[in-house]
Every structure is written in structure tokens, then in C-alpha cells.
Amino acid sequence: MTTTGDDRTTAMTGPWWWERWRGAALDAGLGVLSAAECGAEGVAFARDAGLPVPVGIAFGVLAGAALLIRRRWPVAVVLISIAITPAQMGVLLTVVGLYTLAASELPRRITGALAGMSMAGTLIVALVRANQDMAEGSPSIGSEFIPFFAVTAAIGVTAPPVLLGLYVGARRRLVEGMRERADSLERELQLLAERAEERAEWARNEERTRIAREMHDVVAHRVSLMVVHAAALQAVARKDPEKAVRNAALVGDMGRQALTELRQMLGVLRTGDGTKSAKPVEPLPLAAVGFAAAAAASRAVDEDGPCLAELDELVGQSRAAGMAVDLSVHGEPRDCSADVEQTAYRVVQEALTNVHKHAAGAKTYVRLAYRGAEIAMQVENEPPPEPDGTADARLPSGGNGLVGMKERVTGLGGVFVSGPTDGGGFRVSAVLPAAAAVAG
């Protein structure tokens, strides 16, 4: 695993500006070597300058010890090395200072300017020293080789540490960039994992809501009609035995239909893929739970879902329960997608169920219109008649019918409106868009 910025900050255990004790020990060792070198060269500098030898040694030691601050102030170290170049001391100080400066994060123009100053100073000192040796009669090199010697010395002292520092700095920045990208990728992966968890939880909640809505629509209508017929059976059992027998038969038929639809839906939800397997079921990954629930609900809807062709049968069931229902269809009927047909059917079904619950005996109008750009449906009932002393069905209401209808319609991009009418009745209207209504 990579180390984040916070971890790197806490990993700085060295003193002062050093990140680690190892770096502090290295700089201390280089400082001691440079101080020793400059101190030894300070003896000759003191004799040439006419100063006491201890002064020259102290000056060299102080100048050479500047390597202790090379990581914090590399520019100062290079300037000190340039300043003591005329004293012919500080080769190690110059080399290490230029390397540290080139490897640092300072702008390249500053590095180039200071490296050029150091090279120029070394070149001038080399020329002066070579000419002095020639004047003193030292047979070191010939006069024609003095410029070549000076240029070679200046380049040899300056160029290698600068080039090496540039390479090390570039490599360090590359590694830092790769580490930062790795950290960023790790954070993105964690974020994606969290979002996947959220999407899976959202999918589970959506499917729970969808399954609950399906269960409500499938069972509530059948059971409501059963309760209405049972109430009518109670009222006419003694007065009209034949009608009581018919109502009892209707109650039995509707109960069996409700149980059949309920078993079909539960069977799909239990088997998942509709087949039984003797092998033990392995736990699914979290991200697959939502897809499995969605697939199960979709199969339950697509295989056994109702369609608009069954509206006549639906209205007939309500008429058999004693409701006065008028069905009218406008426009040319055409095939629609399964989602649209099922949604339209469920809206009418739930609206009729609400009439049974809250306005028993009221005249009801069911209208379905096929338009060029949309499909519209409306269920409107008149005010319920005054109670006449017959048995009351006393149907309970969970308050989820209108919410479920609105969720279905808006889920397909349609519009749903419901509310009381001016005449004291109630109206439920829904419009589904043509984009969802065109058959594939």
C-alpha cells in the first residue's frame, strides 16, 4: 500500500528540518568532512592573506560546516561555496551544495544562475592559480594548456553534481507523483465502493417498495370484492337464498384467484430464476442483491401481469359486486408495452377498489382514451347513496393505494392527479407518455 500525505507527515521523526535521523546523520557526516577539508585549506589561505593560522582554520571550519543546512537552505550553501572559491577551499562544499540545489524544488532559473556563477568563479580561480604557478616557475603545465585546464576544472567541479541533482530531483518528483496518483486511485476506489453500497441499498429499498405495491394491487382488489360480496351475502341470506348462493360462489372464486396470484408472485420471489436446485445456495455479493430483486419482480410482472384487454373482466367483477360501473374506450385500441398496460390496469383496479371501500353503491365511470401522443385513463365516482340499513362491508384502508398509483405513473414519466370533485365524488386521472406507450 502507498503512504498518504498525512502518514508521511507523522513519519517525520528527525530533528528540526530533517525528516529522518538517517538524513541528519548523513548531513552531519558531510559537514564534518567539509569542515575538516576547509579547515586544512584555511592554513594556506591564512598564510597567503597574512592572517593568523587559527583565524584561517576557524574560517574554513565555519564555511565547511554550512553543509548542515543544505536541505533547508541550499541557496545559502551554494552562495557560501561561491564566496570562498577565491580562497581555494570548499570543493566538497561546492559539489554537495550544487547537487542539493539541483535536486531541490527551486525554480530551474535559480539553479542555472547559481551553477553558472559557481562555474565562472571556479574558472577564474583556476586561471589565476595556473598563471601564478607559471610565474613562480612551477613546471606543472604549459601556458598553452592553461585555458583548457581551467575550463576542464570548472566543468568537472560544476556539471556532474548539477546533472546528477537534476536526475535525482526528477526521479523523486516522478515517484512522488506516482505515489499521489496511487493515493488518489485508492481514495476513488473507496468512494466507488461506498457508492456501490449505497446503490445496492437503494436498489433493495426500491424493490421492497415495488414488491409491496404489487402485493397490495394483486391482493387488495380481490379481497375488497370478497368482503363486499360477503356483506351482501349476509344481507340477502334469508331474503333471497339463490342470490346468496351466487354471492358465495363469487366469494370462493375471487378467493381462489387471489391465492393463485399470491402464490405465483411468492413463487417467483423464492425461486429467483424459476427453477429449483438441490445445490446449496451461496451468498451473493452485495452488489448483486439489487439486481436479483429487480429480476425477480420483473419476471413476476412480465409473466403474469395484467393488460388493458382484461379491463372488461375487471369492470365485470365490480358490477357483480353490485357497483354500477360504466366503461367507455375512446380512440383506436392498440398494443402497448407491458409496463404501460400493467400500470393502466393497476390504476383502474385500485381506483375501483377505493370506490368499494369509501363510496359503496356510487355510480362510477371508467374512461380509457388512446391518443396520438399518450394514453389517458380516468375513474370517477358520484357521491355514495344514503345508507339504507344494509350490511356495511367496513373495508379497512391502509392509505397506500393513491401513493402506489402515483409511483407507478410517475415512474414511467406520466402524470397522476387525484382528488374530490365539485359534486361530492372522487376522481382519479392518469396520463402515460407516448414514448413509454409505443410497442417494441
Side-chain angles (χ1 to χ4, degrees):
M1 299 297 290
T2 58
T3 304
T4 60
D6 295 338
D7 295 336
R8 292 180 60 205
T9 302
T10 53
M12 295 178 60
T13 57
W16 296 327
W17 54 82
W18 286 284
E19 294 183 2
R20 298 177 180 85
W21 281 98
R22 183 177 59 185
L26 176 62
D27 289 353
L30 291 174
V32 170
L33 292 177
S34 178
E37 177 205 352
C38 293
E41 293 171 343
V43 176
F45 168 69
R47 286 198 301 264
D48 294 341
L51 297 174
V53 174
V55 174
I57 295 175
F59 174 75
V61 169
L62 290 176
L67 281 182
L68 286 172
I69 62 172
R70 71 183 185 94
R71 297 178 190 266
R72 186 67 179 273
W73 295 290
V75 175
V77 173
V78 175
L79 289 176
I80 292 174
S81 68
I82 295 174
I84 65 174
T85 298
Q88 299 181 22
M89 63 173 62
V91 176
L92 180 61
L93 178 66
T94 301
V95 172
V96 177
L98 288 174
Y99 164 79
T100 305
L101 178 66
S104 66
E105 300 294 333
L106 293 172
R108 290 292 166 257
R109 62 178 183 275
I110 297 178
T111 301
L114 292 177
M117 293 171 59
S118 179
M119 181 181 294
T122 303
L123 177 63
I124 293 173
V125 170
L127 287 172
V128 172
R129 184 64 180 178
N131 289 325
Q132 287 179 351
D133 292 341
M134 288 291 297
E136 293 174 358
S138 175
S140 56
I141 58 174
S143 59
E144 64 276 8
F145 292 105
I146 290 178
F148 174 77
F149 168 76
V151 171
T152 303
I155 294 177
V157 173
T158 306
V162 171
L163 294 177
L164 180 61
L166 291 175
Y167 167 76
V168 172
R171 185 176 180 274
R172 182 185 303 158
R173 285 187 291 274
L174 177 62
V175 172
E176 290 293 331
M178 294 176 63
R179 182 181 293 113
E180 291 178 359
R181 285 193 292 270
D183 294 340
S184 176
L185 179 60
E186 184 177 357
R187 288 191 294 269
E188 290 179 0
L189 290 176
Q190 292 176 353
L191 182 60
L192 288 176
E194 293 175 359
R195 290 181 177 175
E197 292 277 353
E198 294 176 357
R199 286 195 296 268
E201 183 64 26
W202 176 84
R204 285 193 292 267
N205 293 334
E206 286 293 314
E207 289 311 312
R208 290 192 191 102
T209 303
R210 181 177 179 179
I211 293 170
R213 187 166 58 237
E214 286 295 323
M215 299 287 287
H216 176 274
D217 292 341
V218 167
V219 178
H221 182 73
R222 303 286 187 190
V223 174
S224 298
L225 292 179
M226 290 169 60
V227 174
V228 171
H229 281 294
L233 176 62
Q234 182 181 358
V236 302
R238 296 181 179 178
K239 300 178 182 179
D240 191 348
E242 294 183 0
K243 187 174 182 180
V245 171
R246 291 195 300 271
N247 287 342
L250 287 174
V251 171
D253 291 340
M254 291 177 184
R256 284 188 290 272
Q257 290 176 2
L259 287 176
T260 301
E261 293 178 351
L262 185 59
R263 287 195 188 100
Q264 289 173 348
M265 179 169 290
L266 293 179
V268 172
L269 292 177
R270 284 183 177 180
T271 59
D273 57 356
T275 60
K276 296 182 179 180
S277 175
K279 297 181 180 179
V281 179
E282 297 181 357
L284 290 174
L286 181 61
V289 174
F291 295 104
S298 297
R299 283 190 293 271
V301 170
D302 295 339
E303 294 176 1
D304 302 295
C307 60
L308 291 176
E310 301 175 11
L311 274 184
D312 289 333
E313 181 181 355
L314 178 66
V315 172
Q317 292 172 358
S318 295
R319 288 171 179 166
M323 180 187 296
V325 186
D326 178 55
L327 173 64
S328 61
V329 179
H330 304 277
E332 184 67 23
R334 62 180 183 274
D335 292 334
C336 304
S337 65
D339 289 339
V340 172
E341 295 217 2
Q342 180 190 355
T343 299
Y345 181 93
R346 294 302 189 194
V347 168
V348 176
Q349 181 186 57
E350 182 59 29
L352 292 176
T353 302
N354 287 341
V355 176
H356 283 293
K357 290 181 180 180
H358 308 293
K363 177 69 173 178
T364 305
Y365 302 92
V366 179
R367 302 180 181 90
L368 180 66
Y370 293 91
R371 303 172 184 171
E374 59 193 13
I375 294 180
M377 64 227 63
Q378 183 182 90
V379 178
E380 180 179 353
N381 62 274
E382 297 178 353
E386 295 295 330
D388 55 0
T390 59
D392 185 9
R394 293 190 298 274
L395 289 169
S397 176
N400 297 319
L402 294 177
V403 175
M405 285 190 283
K406 185 174 182 180
E407 289 176 351
R408 285 180 178 276
V409 174
T410 56
L412 294 178
V415 178
F416 178 82
V417 179
S418 63
T421 61
D422 295 337
F426 199 85
R427 180 187 299 118
V428 173
S429 302
V431 179
L432 297 175
V438 176

